[in-house]
Amino acid sequence: MTIDIGIPDTENDAPTPLPKRAQRSIGVIVAYWLVLLAGLIVAFYPTWVRLVDEAADGAITTYIFVLPFLAAVAAQGIARRRSGELPIHDRQTDIIVGGLVLLTAFAIKALWLPRYADQYELVHLDVLAGLVFFLGGTILLFGLRPVGRFWSVWLLLLSLSPLLYRMAAITVGGSRFAYGAVLVVLAGAAGAIAVGRTRRRGWLGFVCTVIAGFAILAVMLAGWPGAHISMLQLIPTVGAAATTGIVFYFVARRGKSKSPLSDRIAPVTAKRSVSSVVVVGLSALVLLIVPLPDQTAIAGTPGPPGTELTVPDGWAQNGVEEFSWAKTYFGRTATLTRQEMRANEGNPAWDIDSRPRTVVVDSLSTVNRASLAVYPESTLYRLGNTRTSNALSVDLGHDVTAALYTSVSDALLLTWTKLVYTWVRGDVTQRVTVISVDNHEADAVFPQPAPSMASNLRTGFATFLRGNAIAVDNNPDYKDRELLTAFGTALVAEQWDAS
């Protein structure tokens, strides 16, 4: 399939046998592509397995497998417009630049990725490393000048990184339609690159692809509202690009040969280099042995039916607040509720003046378990300039194990202690976060649940520049450990008693 609207070079457009030189060029190109694809699959095989597992759990990462199709659509249009390329190459420069790019891929996976282990499912830096590896391999095999001709395709692939894709979809609402629509727009960009011999043709290709994609997406949502998110990503995108491509191709070839190889096959102008092939292969093996961060485990502990949290004995509820923005991140049926609870009586073990303590309980309920791994508990809050301690395991009874840790705000000079556990209540997975603050006054400030993508990006950038040490509290003081353990145990028991 091709969506080029170029004019064949010969007046007689009847198919003719390919000359031997063209046949040799095809053989070299096919061999190089096989090396690149095999290296990419081998080097990042654990990544592809993770992506498939995440997609099966309902994550939006299925879209990554449509990227090769969009890249091929855009690249073949540029390749068919390739003409007059002079065989001017500095293979030494190609090898140096390609080698540096491969080293960059190794640095991303081996050095950068471990810094963001907690946000692995969110940012998927190993996918970026795979793209950089592929770029370095193409430079080594095909040369820097030919690869540079496809700069728009590389830019398109970079714009489709998991983090940027999520940010774009969330910006336009975070619905199932939004995740499909963003890919349709990017498919339109691929179509524009492919047929963009002129600006007018590029815009025409973009508009046709986007209209076709939105039409397919709307029909799917109307007739198949329960479709898996992967279907909403793949079918409209591939369907729109394929439909537009076929139409453009046959319109451009009216009265002419429909053979996709009727034009002259341009040879590979860079000199062949066996050492470059060897370097690509060895780099793939080295990247394969670099481990990925551990997968985020979402507890499957059975909980009582229902999703509301009943106040345990000895405590009173002071207020309830709902946060509708959670649907954007965790699915259209997700709920996020904050309950403020205050002890009926003071306890000298919790406060030296026996003042009744106050805690807040944030309960997030969703049917999309995969989203809990993508957005860890800390991403629910805007906590810039905070340092977090290591987590302690706390047994709350009924087979529920919670994580207890502290977050120190250097800006507010406060320490929050959090108790977090997850259980399954019917078809809903619920994550409960209990928070206390070391300021025991009635007006104590608790972290507010809020969309925190921008805050997380700032923290992530600071971590990139200064390392994980800026976000870690190495000397924590778990002052409210006894308070939260007692409250959490009573809270879990109360839900079972209430059911």
Side-chain angles (χ1 to χ4, degrees):
M1 175 177 46
T2 174
I3 56 178
D4 180 59
I5 57 176
I7 300 175
D9 294 334
T10 60
E11 296 182 1
N12 183 8
D13 200 36
T16 57
L18 293 174
K20 291 184 178 181
R21 183 182 180 187
Q23 293 177 5
R24 288 195 298 270
S25 297
I26 293 177
V28 172
I29 293 173
V30 170
Y32 280 174
W33 276 104
L34 288 177
V35 170
L36 286 170
L37 293 176
L40 184 64
I41 293 173
V42 170
F44 296 91
Y45 180 76
T47 295
W48 311 136
V49 173
R50 288 272 188 100
L51 291 173
V52 170
D53 291 341
E54 290 175 16
D57 289 337
I60 56 91
T61 47
T62 309
Y63 87 95
I64 290 176
F65 296 104
V66 82
L67 298 189
F69 176 83
L70 295 182
V73 167
Q76 63 84 36
I78 296 176
R80 293 178 66 84
R81 296 195 293 270
R82 177 187 176 196
S83 62
E85 183 177 286
L86 298 176
I88 301 175
H89 288 275
D90 185 344
R91 289 301 283 162
Q92 188 174 16
T93 299
D94 294 340
I95 293 173
I96 292 174
V97 174
L100 290 175
V101 174
L102 291 180
L103 286 176
T104 302
F106 176 81
I108 292 174
K109 187 176 182 182
L111 304 178
W112 194 9
L113 181 58
R115 290 190 175 188
Y116 299 93
D118 293 340
Q119 293 84 32
Y120 169 75
E121 286 85 356
L122 176 63
V123 298
H124 261 300
L125 288 176
D126 48 343
V127 174
L128 174 61
L131 177 60
V132 173
F133 167 81
F134 197 71
L135 173 61
T138 55
I139 293 174
L140 282 174
L141 298 181
F142 293 101
L144 186 60
R145 286 168 59 90
V147 171
R149 287 176 54 86
F150 296 86
W151 64 268
S152 55
V153 180
W154 297 110
L155 185 61
L156 175 69
L157 292 175
L158 283 174
S159 68
L160 284 167
S161 68
L163 182 58
L164 293 179
Y165 174 55
R166 290 183 188 277
M167 291 181 64
I170 288 173
T171 300
V172 294
S175 63
R176 288 151 60 84
F177 178 83
Y179 281 103
V182 170
L183 278 184
V184 167
V185 172
L186 292 172
I193 294 171
V195 303
R197 191 182 297 274
T198 65
R199 181 175 297 180
R200 179 176 177 274
R201 289 170 176 170
W203 278 110
L204 184 60
F206 175 82
V207 171
C208 290
T209 304
V210 171
I211 291 176
F214 280 154
I216 297 173
L217 183 59
V219 169
M220 289 187 65
L221 286 172
W224 190 11
H228 194 277
I229 185 65
S230 62
M231 298 295 100
L232 298 178
Q233 292 173 315
L234 300 180
I235 294 177
T237 304
V238 175
T243 301
T244 304
I246 292 172
V247 170
F248 266 81
Y249 182 77
F250 282 102
V251 168
R253 297 280 176 157
R254 285 178 299 178
K256 302 171 185 176
S257 170
K258 304 303 186 293
S259 172
L261 297 179
S262 60
D263 293 342
R264 179 178 64 87
I265 305 298
V268 177
T269 54
K271 293 181 180 179
R272 302 177 191 178
S273 174
V274 177
S275 60
S276 296
V277 176
V278 174
V279 169
V280 171
L282 292 178
S283 299
L285 295 177
V286 171
L287 285 167
L288 174 63
I289 64 177
V290 176
L292 294 177
D294 294 334
Q295 283 185 289
T296 302
I298 305 300
T301 304
T307 57
E308 296 183 2
L309 293 180
T310 305
V311 182
D313 292 338
W315 294 78
Q317 182 168 282
N318 293 342
V320 180
E321 187 176 359
E322 300 283 344
F323 299 92
S324 59
W325 60 262
K327 301 180 186 297
T328 303
Y329 290 80
F330 299 95
R332 65 185 186 278
T333 62
T335 61
L336 175 58
T337 304
R338 162 161 288 192
Q339 298 169 267
E340 181 178 309
M341 302 183 188
R342 185 176 180 85
N344 295 332
E345 299 179 358
N347 186 330
W350 302 344
D351 180 85
I352 192 172
D353 296 324
S354 296
R355 290 170 294 184
R357 294 293 304 275
T358 300
V359 299
V360 295
V361 182
D362 296 332
S363 55
L364 172 65
S365 304
T366 177
V367 296
N368 186 357
R369 284 177 55 85
S371 63
L372 297 179
V374 174
Y375 301 106
E377 180 271 335
S378 60
T379 62
L380 294 180
Y381 311 93
R382 293 180 179 175
L383 295 178
N385 297 322
T386 60
R387 292 176 287 111
T388 302
S389 71
N390 292 325
L392 303 178
S393 294
V394 178
D395 184 8
L396 301 182
H398 294 276
D399 296 326
V400 176
T401 301
L404 185 142
Y405 68 94
T406 63
S407 289
V408 179
S409 173
D410 295 323
L412 300 177
L413 301 178
L414 291 175
T415 298
W416 297 294
T417 306
K418 293 185 178 183
L419 182 77
V420 185
Y421 67 89
T422 303
W423 56 7
V424 180
R425 308 183 70 176
D427 60 349
V428 171
T429 301
Q430 185 177 68
R431 184 167 65 199
V432 179
T433 303
V434 184
I435 308 175
S436 68
V437 61
D438 61 355
N439 180 0
H440 301 177
E441 302 294 338
D443 58 350
V445 177
F446 289 91
Q448 292 295 313
S452 55
M453 189 69 75
S455 175
N456 292 334
L457 286 176
R458 288 194 297 270
T459 302
F461 184 68
T463 301
F464 171 71
L465 294 177
R466 300 170 58 188
N468 285 11
I470 65 168
V472 176
D473 181 10
N474 292 317
N475 297 297
D477 185 359
Y478 303 98
K479 291 182 292 186
D480 286 337
R481 178 178 181 179
E482 184 178 344
L483 162 67
L484 293 185
T485 300
F487 177 84
T489 302
L491 182 66
V492 169
E494 179 64 29
Q495 308 319 303
W496 281 105
D497 293 341
S499 66

